[in-house]
Each structure stands twice: as structure tokens, then as C-alpha cells.
Amino acid sequence: MSSRNEFHGWLLDIYPDPAQGVILWLLDEDGIRRHRLHQAFPTAFYVHSDNGSLRALWRYLKSLSLPIQLSRVEQQDLFREQPLPVLKVLTKTPSAQEQLFHHLKTSFPDLTYYNADIPLAIRYAAQTHVFPLARCWVLATDEGEVEALETLDSPWMIDTPPVPLRVMVLAPDCNPDHREPVELKVHLEGKHYRFPFKEERGLLIKLRALLRRYDPDLLLTVWGDNWLITKLHQLMEKHQITLPLSREQGRGVERREERFYHSYGGVIYRGPQARLFGRIHISTENTVMYHDYGLEGVFEMARVTGLRIQTAARVSPGTGISSMQILTALRQGVLVPWHKQQVERLKTAYSLLQADRGGMVYQPTIGLHSQVAEIDFISMYPSIMEHFNISPETVGKSGANGTFVPELEMTIDQDHRGLVPDTLQPLLEKRIKLKQALAGMNPKDIRYLPYQAQSSAHKWLLVTCFGYLGYKNARFGRIEAHEAVTAYGREALLRAKEAAEDLGYRVLHMYVDGLWVQKEGASKVADFQPLLEEILNRTGLPTSLDGVYRWIAFLSSRPDPRVPVANRYFGLFQNGTWKVRGIEMRRDDTSRWVKNIQLEMLNLLANAPDAGKLVEQLPRIHSLLQTRLAALREQKVSLEELLISQKLSRTLGEYKVLSSAARAAAQLEEIGKHLIPGQRVLFLYTRGKPGVYAWDLPERPDPGVIDTDRYAELLCRAAFTILQPLGIEEQTLRWWMFTNAGYGAPPGFLPDSCSQEIPLLGDFFLPTPPLGLSNPLI
């Protein structure tokens, strides 16, 4: 008889096994031992159709002589009043369930399948409440079979013991898309190693020794998914040396191909994936939002969604919120459809116009404004869903406590808690706790950065949960619920505006979930507290003061200075921090050189004590622009700083006129580097045809071919964005930038009258422009 082992530890990884059901890897709480366990895990899916079709399926499954159990049961479909009669198909293992479903969806494509393609980690979390990195109590046999397993914490706790993960970092010494790496850099436990790629056999032997000696829990790689893991496999096959990348013996690397898809009018690229078994692999360049929340954010995504850590790192926040909804449905005994089945209800043209209006946007008052407060609803749309019980199954249903929305001509049932509000409630509560803790926490506190990362992960989940209500492929989506949220949002923002005006504030701008207000004599946080309280009273939704601006500039459109742009502004908070939206330094396709100069300009403006003294910084900005342009002309700007990054929106063959990015991609195509839609291409603007030079070509371009005129134009546009609110006209700016820089302006940059050169006269004087061009200091 086998003896039993009892211990506490953290769940590291979970995956199916054809023979043993589920494989679990746990890290002992002493941080030393790793346990491979297995557990039986029978798995069911459900099929619905007419009686004749279900009988045919029953007979077919019986003829296969598989170790499965069939039964007729009733289960709850979210969108039906009464339980649904379905055929339950129970397999012995998750692997068997997956194989059988893939067979049936091809052989019986017209049937309706439920609970058929749910990731194992989510099934396991729903049934056992054990989630990735959960601290568990385990009782297992000497052979590693789990007899009992319980979780000792919750994904909604904000203070949990740190998991003592052993991390190994692997990175080539350069971007492999740029040139062939020379060395592999390895870092672990404070030690650094460099292994030359040309010593192929030696590299494999040394790396294998490190993997066996340190047995890391996490391989953190740079370009691991896109290049490094593939490179290591090529070397292993060549030299017949196996690296224990996965802990599971006999398991190699799970591969997933690159892909792209269209979303909200854009093209999204997802790179190839290399996942391990028993060991976590995270590739930084292929981890969604890694730049925003790092490893701690990845771990938090896994905790709250129930997905494997390696999966949570690579999927979008939309997939994360969808996983949370599936987890809630399974725990409530609600069927999870394989495909979305709900269609939009028929609407008249008028009702469609009334309902489908999106968020409220109030045109801002163009120009420079002092002492402005920004007030934001806290997670507005998720809060509306949770507070007003908006869920796909509650909209359009009348109950004893239904809430009628006249604008939508529908009722929202308040008698039964919706699936979406149930999913969001703990997430909202945890984020509020984290934000409250961060508000009074010293940034040097050891908890500060982890709390920030967790809060950021929650932010992205909450941002996407609203979009998923109306997403065409969302399993629990319905466009009417999406429209109901925006209707409540518009009403809440209008009530907030009325509250502000009733209390004597001037509303300068409103944008979906926030408003910017100004009041004579109001400049401190306390001066705006009565407004926050009044908005809460009138809307029932919590708000927060994002900050009080020393000054803020709302910008106009470039083609027509009379037309404001809702989400294009920059402002300086009283604490000296900036908030910028919609300007060049926030754009992915702006070169680092332009971004840095625009930031330098803002920092010069920050030296002014108030908005009235901003013009005193113009001579310094003038000098800055001339210095940076001179460096560009003298080839003192590195090529890396001039790189432009743009996304391919289609395949090369689909372009009627090749864009700059497409021309660069065509250059790479000629040397065998193929890009697909959604991928970014790096290039430099050059003189002559084709006008660009792809950065990932083997050779570096001659700095002399750089199109400095093009970059000067880009800088001029960025500078005008910052200076326009100060009263500088674009022609004046061009004269200041180019006429006094010691070289002629690019063709077409200046009006005919701008030909004289007048030197900078002093700290507080600018050269006088020709007649007709303005100078705000005169």
C-alpha cells in the first residue's frame, strides 16, 4: 500500500496527459523541491439538437467503442428561460475529450456544442478553485497521484506570500531580425554567462548543464518565441544533444504558428509561440502588455483568469475577460457555447440611431487653460455593468424590479444577477483596494511596484470587458447590452456636467468617462471635492480626481484650426507630471528623435511658473530646435534614433499604392524575410527612390542618404503641436526653425517673404519675422 505525502506549495503549471488525466507541477513552500503530480480528471461536453439528430449521434458514438459515458441531461443555457435538454458526453481524460470533439465537429458540423473547447486550466479552476500560483495544501501518494488538493488563498487577495521562483534569462546579444546574433547571454541567480553561437556544441553542453544544475521554474527569453527556441532546436538536431527545456520528460516544446486578424478596423499580429511543460516560458517581445506591467502583471492575469501562466502572457486582455466569464459560467452551472448564437434584434432605423451612439464626446474649448481639474469615473463602463446589472441575458427582459431605459426602448432585469456583473464585481473591488492602498503608499515601499502592476493588469481587463459585450465572436456577447452601457454612460456624463454647472464650474471638455472643469478661485484638490460628492449623488457611480493641471492645452485639427479634436491635448499637473494624448510622442510611428525633442520642449515649458509665463520659454525652445536640426544636418544623430516603425495593414500584393512601410517590407521580401499583416517594419526615410531603407536589411545605409528634409518636416509638425496654443503660427515657426539655422530651408517650407537671416538677440527676444508673420512677444 502506498504511503501518503502531505505538503504545501504553489501551482506552477497544469496540462493534460493522455494516460494520467492532468499533470500538475507544484513548487514546495520551502522553495527547494518541485513536485510532479497527476490526477484523474473526467471531462464532459454537451450537444444539443433535435431528438432525431441526437439519437443519430448517440448511435454513432456507441459504434466507436470508446471508453465514454453518454446520458441525457438538462443544463442551463444563459439565454433560455428553461433548462435545455442535451446529450452529455463524458470522457476519462481531457485529452480524450479534445480529440473526440475535434472529430465530431467535422463529422456533425450542424449540431450545437457546449463546454467543448474550454482550456483545461479553466476547467480545473472552476471545479477545484485552484488557480495558477495558488498556494495549496496537497495530499498525494508516493507515486505522485493526488488524493486531495485545496487552495489556501484567493485570486482576490492583494497580499499573498511571494512565490520563490527560480528565473533564468536567455537573450541573444542583438535583435535577430536586424543581424545574426553572435552570443547567447544567460543570467540567473546573480551570475552572468556568455556563450558564442559559433561554438555550437559547447553552447548546448554548457546550457544543458545550467538547466540541470539550477532547474529554473521560469525561462524569461528575449526573442524566444520568434527566434531563440527555434535556433536552439536547430542546434540540438544538428548535434544530437537534447536540452531539457521542458521539465516533463518526453515532452518537447508546444508550438503555435504566427497569425493575424482584424479588430476594430486594425490588423493585430500575434507571433509564433513556444510553450513548455512543467516549466514556464515567457518571451518578452511576444508578451501582450509586458512593457506595461511586467512579470507581476502576467502573474496577476493568470491568477484572475485561471489561464496557464504561459497562455495568460500571450493572449489579449479580451481573451482574459472572456476566460473569466467562462470560469463564472462553469461555477454557476451555465453552458458555455462553442460559438456565439445570439444575433442582434431587429430595430427600426430610428431606434438604431438612438441606441447605437457610443460614448458621449463634448468638443473641447480650444486653447490654453489654467487651473483645470480632470475628473474621471472610476472604471466607468465596468462600474455601470456591475451597478445596473447589465449582462447579455438581462437586457430586454422584464422582471418585477426591471429598469426601463427609454432611449433603448428596453428593460433591464434586476431580479436575477447577471453573469457579467458577477464576473466583474470581485475584479472591480480588488482594483479599488489596490488604488486606495497605492494612494497613500510610499513609492519606495516593497509592495508599490507589484501593486501597480496588478492594478495595470486589471485596468486592461476592465477596458476590454465593455468591448466584448458587443464583439461579434464573444460567447456571452449581445449588442443590446453594449448599447445599454453606453446609454447609461452618456446619461451619467450629462448628469455630471449638470452637477458641475449647478455648482458654478465651467466645463471645458467631456470625453466618454471624464470631464475637465474650471472655476475661479479653485486650484486645490479640496476645492473640487464637493463636485465629486455631488456627481456620486446624482449618478450612483464613483469618481476620482485625476489631478489639477497647472495648465492644459486642448488642440485643434491640423487642416482646420477652428475644429477641436476630442482626444488631443497635453497638460502639466501641479505635481510636475505631464499628461499627453494624441500628439506625436504618443504615436508608435514617430521616430525616437522627434519624440525626445517634443519631450524636451515640454520640459522647457514646465519651467514656467504659470501659463502666463510660457512665452518666456520660446527663445530656449527656438535655440533647442535649431541645435537639433543642425545636429541632423551634420549627421550627428544616430540612425537608431531616426527609425520609423509602421504596421503593415495588408499583404504586399493587396496594396494598390505601396506605402512607406510596404516599400520597406518589399525590400525585405527580396532577401527572403517575409512579413505578414499586423507586423511592424522598421525603416529610415532616404533621398530618391524608393524613399525608404528597411532597417533589417543586412547592410547599414550610408548616413548621407538620409532624407533630412523629411525628418525636419516631421520635427516641424511636432513642434507646431506644442507651440500652437501659445499663439505661434505655422509659417512663423518654419521661419524660426529654418531661416536662422545657418542653412536654407527645404523647398516649400517657407513663404516667399521668408528669406532674411536675423540672429537670436538674447534670452528673451526672438528674431522678428517678416511682415505678416506673428511674434507673440511683440
Side-chain angles (χ1 to χ4, degrees):
M1 181 176 180
S2 299
S3 61
R4 297 176 175 179
N5 298 311
E6 181 180 346
F7 66 93
H8 296 86
W10 289 273
L11 178 64
L12 292 178
D13 200 11
I14 176 173
Y15 48 88
D17 183 84
Q20 296 181 311
V22 171
I23 303 299
L24 306 167
W25 282 90
L26 284 96
L27 166 60
D28 200 295
E29 65 179 350
D30 61 13
I32 298 175
R33 289 170 292 178
R34 276 73 184 155
H35 303 267
R36 180 194 183 276
L37 307 175
H38 60 90
Q39 185 178 8
F41 196 73
T43 306
F45 67 100
Y46 303 87
V47 190
H48 173 71
S49 188
D50 59 84
N51 289 333
S53 297
L54 288 184
R55 282 195 294 270
L57 176 62
W58 183 299
R59 289 192 295 269
Y60 177 77
L61 290 173
K62 285 291 186 181
S63 71
L64 296 178
S65 300
L66 296 174
I68 58 176
Q69 297 179 22
L70 304 177
S71 58
R72 294 291 293 268
V73 297
E74 290 188 343
Q75 294 285 313
Q76 187 63 53
D77 184 299
L78 188 69
F79 299 98
R80 296 176 183 255
E81 295 288 344
Q82 300 299 323
L84 189 69
V86 291
L87 174 63
K88 178 180 179 181
V89 183
L90 181 67
T91 62
K92 293 186 66 175
T93 67
S95 296
Q97 181 272 324
E98 183 179 359
Q99 292 174 2
L100 181 58
F101 168 63
H102 281 298
H103 173 69
L104 291 182
K105 71 181 182 182
T106 303
S107 302
F108 295 84
D110 297 328
L111 303 182
T112 302
Y113 297 94
Y114 295 93
N115 295 21
D117 63 337
I118 299 172
L120 170 62
I122 295 180
R123 289 187 189 271
Y124 195 82
Q127 185 169 317
T128 66
H129 294 274
V130 175
F131 53 92
L133 297 181
R135 187 169 177 268
C136 307
W137 168 82
V138 184
L139 183 64
T141 66
D142 285 343
E143 290 76 26
E145 183 175 2
V146 174
E147 294 193 347
L149 188 149
E150 296 178 6
T151 182
L152 302 177
D153 59 11
S154 162
W156 312 117
M157 297 169 60
I158 65 172
D159 285 313
T160 56
V163 183
L165 294 174
R166 290 199 292 253
V167 180
M168 175 184 283
V169 182
L170 300 174
D173 61 348
C174 68
N175 185 342
D177 289 334
H178 188 48
R179 58 184 173 86
E180 190 68 18
V182 175
E183 292 181 321
L184 175 65
K185 298 186 293 184
V186 183
H187 171 76
L188 74 164
E189 296 189 350
K191 299 178 180 179
H192 302 271
Y193 305 88
R194 286 179 175 267
F195 302 142
F197 277 106
K198 65 180 181 180
E199 299 175 8
E200 298 175 348
R201 186 175 181 83
L203 181 149
L204 293 175
I205 293 173
K206 293 172 183 176
L207 185 56
R208 181 177 62 182
L210 289 177
L211 287 168
R212 288 176 175 174
R213 178 179 177 184
Y214 291 100
D215 190 22
D217 305 301
L218 168 63
L219 290 185
L220 183 64
T221 65
V222 183
W223 297 294
D225 279 349
N226 292 326
W227 184 82
L228 181 57
I229 299 298
T230 300
K231 177 68 173 180
L232 292 176
H233 264 273
Q234 291 172 349
L235 297 180
M236 284 190 282
E237 291 179 357
K238 179 179 179 180
H239 296 280
Q240 297 299 302
I241 296 175
T242 302
L243 292 177
L245 296 176
S246 288
R247 273 202 178 112
E248 179 79 18
Q249 293 184 3
R251 294 258 192 152
V253 177
E254 180 186 13
R255 303 278 187 165
R256 300 207 175 181
E257 297 299 321
E258 63 181 357
R259 63 188 181 93
F260 70 92
Y261 58 92
H262 297 269
S263 178
Y264 293 98
V267 184
I268 308 298
Y269 170 76
R270 291 285 178 257
Q273 300 180 17
R275 304 183 188 181
L276 307 179
F277 298 92
R279 208 188 311 275
I280 303 164
H281 174 225
I282 293 178
S283 183
T284 58
E285 86 292 340
N286 203 31
T287 298
V288 179
M289 306 310 300
Y290 185 85
H291 67 282
D292 189 77
Y293 51 52
L295 276 180
E296 188 57 53
V298 170
F299 296 156
E300 181 66 7
M301 288 286 285
R303 290 187 190 102
V304 300
T305 64
L307 294 167
R308 286 178 75 192
I309 297 171
Q310 298 178 86
T311 304
R314 293 169 172 87
V315 299
S316 68
T319 301
I321 201 70
S322 178
S323 300
M324 293 179 66
Q325 292 176 1
I326 292 172
L327 191 55
T328 302
L330 292 176
R331 287 174 175 167
Q332 294 180 353
V334 173
L335 292 170
V336 179
W338 176 39
H339 286 315
K340 179 180 178 178
Q341 303 172 51
Q342 292 68 47
V343 296
E344 184 172 1
R345 296 176 179 138
L346 290 175
K347 297 183 178 72
T348 65
Y350 177 76
S351 62
L352 184 62
L353 183 64
Q354 286 292 101
D356 195 13
R357 290 192 289 166
M360 172 70 71
V361 177
Y362 184 90
Q363 297 295 343
T365 305
I366 296 173
L368 199 62
H369 307 275
S370 298
Q371 306 303 334
V372 176
E374 181 179 349
I375 297 172
D376 292 327
F377 285 89
I378 299 174
S379 300
M380 183 192 217
Y381 283 171
S383 295
I384 287 174
M385 296 178 218
E386 195 275 332
H387 185 75
F388 295 105
N389 197 37
I390 298 178
S391 193
E393 79 278 19
T394 63
V395 296
K397 293 178 64 176
S398 58
N401 298 311
T403 301
F404 185 68
V405 187
E407 185 178 344
L408 302 178
E409 299 181 353
M410 70 170 59
T411 302
I412 297 176
D413 181 16
Q414 302 296 332
D415 292 333
H416 304 95
R417 187 71 169 165
L419 182 140
V420 169
D422 266 352
T423 301
L424 293 177
Q425 182 178 354
L427 187 64
L428 282 166
E429 290 176 351
K430 183 173 183 180
R431 185 160 192 256
I432 290 173
K433 287 179 183 178
L434 287 169
K435 288 179 73 70
Q436 290 172 342
L438 284 167
M441 187 178 293
N442 188 322
K444 295 181 180 179
D445 192 307
I446 194 173
R447 299 168 297 171
Y448 188 81
L449 291 179
Y451 278 15
Q452 270 197 327
Q454 292 173 38
S455 180
S456 180
H458 299 162
K459 176 189 72 176
W460 290 110
L461 289 169
L462 292 169
V463 163
T464 56
C465 70
F466 161 70
Y468 254 61
L469 276 182
Y471 179 45
K472 63 179 181 179
N473 294 326
R475 305 175 198 243
F476 299 116
R478 174 166 268 168
I479 192 64
E480 289 81 8
H482 187 276
E483 293 166 349
V485 174
T486 58
Y488 274 106
R490 293 191 296 272
E491 178 65 24
L493 205 57
L494 286 174
R495 291 188 182 187
K497 177 178 180 290
E498 293 169 357
E501 292 173 341
D502 289 346
L503 293 180
Y505 295 89
R506 179 190 178 201
V507 178
L508 298 173
H509 186 25
M510 296 195 302
Y511 189 80
V512 182
D513 63 349
L515 63 162
W516 288 256
V517 299
Q518 186 184 52
K519 184 178 182 180
E520 186 175 352
S523 60
K524 300 186 295 294
V525 171
D527 296 331
F528 299 94
Q529 191 59 38
L531 178 55
L532 298 182
E533 296 172 358
E534 184 62 21
I535 293 174
L536 177 61
N537 291 335
R538 297 196 186 191
T539 66
L541 300 174
T543 58
S544 66
L545 186 66
D546 199 38
V548 180
Y549 292 94
R550 193 187 305 171
W551 54 265
I552 186 171
F554 294 113
L555 302 174
S556 64
S557 69
R558 287 190 61 86
D560 191 340
R562 299 169 299 175
V563 178
V565 179
N567 201 27
R568 192 164 178 258
Y569 59 87
F570 58 92
L572 181 66
F573 284 114
Q574 290 178 343
N575 64 3
T577 60
W578 287 100
K579 184 170 184 179
V580 299
R581 293 291 184 271
I583 68 175
E584 285 77 6
M585 62 185 292
R586 290 275 296 186
R587 293 177 58 93
D588 292 335
D589 60 354
T590 303
S591 71
R592 193 166 72 228
W593 181 69
V594 171
K595 286 184 178 182
N596 290 340
I597 297 173
Q598 195 173 56
L599 179 59
E600 287 183 285
M601 294 175 66
L602 289 176
N603 288 336
L604 286 174
L605 293 179
N607 293 325
D610 54 58
K613 300 293 181 64
L614 287 174
V615 291
E616 295 181 2
Q617 301 302 317
L618 289 178
R620 295 178 176 84
I621 291 176
H622 177 224
S623 178
L624 168 72
L625 292 174
Q626 287 194 340
T627 300
R628 298 294 178 261
L629 280 172
L632 175 69
R633 295 285 182 177
E634 294 165 10
Q635 300 180 13
K636 293 180 180 179
V637 180
S638 70
L639 297 180
E640 286 81 359
E641 289 187 85
L642 298 176
L643 284 175
I644 304 294
S645 171
Q646 291 184 4
K647 185 185 292 186
L648 289 177
S649 60
R650 63 201 74 180
T651 63
L652 289 179
E654 293 174 327
Y655 281 94
K656 293 182 180 179
V657 178
L658 291 181
S659 65
S660 298
R663 294 199 300 273
Q667 293 174 347
L668 297 176
E669 189 90 9
E670 292 177 359
I671 63 169
K673 292 186 176 182
H674 306 288
L675 300 179
I676 67 174
Q679 282 189 282
R680 288 190 169 274
V681 56
L682 295 173
F683 61 89
L684 297 162
Y685 287 117
T686 57
R687 295 191 179 95
K689 293 185 178 181
V692 297
Y693 190 92
W695 185 245
D696 292 331
L697 291 172
E699 302 296 329
R700 281 288 154 269
D702 181 351
V705 305
I706 297 300
D707 188 351
T708 54
D709 291 350
R710 182 71 176 268
Y711 285 100
E713 166 69 10
L714 295 175
L715 177 59
C716 185
R717 287 171 173 263
F720 181 64
T721 297
I722 303 301
L723 298 180
Q724 183 186 19
L726 276 62
I728 304 295
E729 295 180 359
E730 189 166 6
Q731 285 185 329
T732 303
L733 172 63
R734 291 177 182 274
W735 187 83
W736 283 351
M737 286 180 65
F738 303 115
T739 304
N740 293 280
Y743 52 80
F749 268 42
L750 302 173
D752 293 339
S753 59
C754 296
S755 59
Q756 55 185 305
E757 294 185 10
I758 303 176
L760 188 64
L761 299 178
D763 286 344
F764 295 96
F765 296 93
L766 286 173
T768 304
L771 187 65
L773 299 185
S774 67
N775 187 330
L777 292 183
I778 298 175

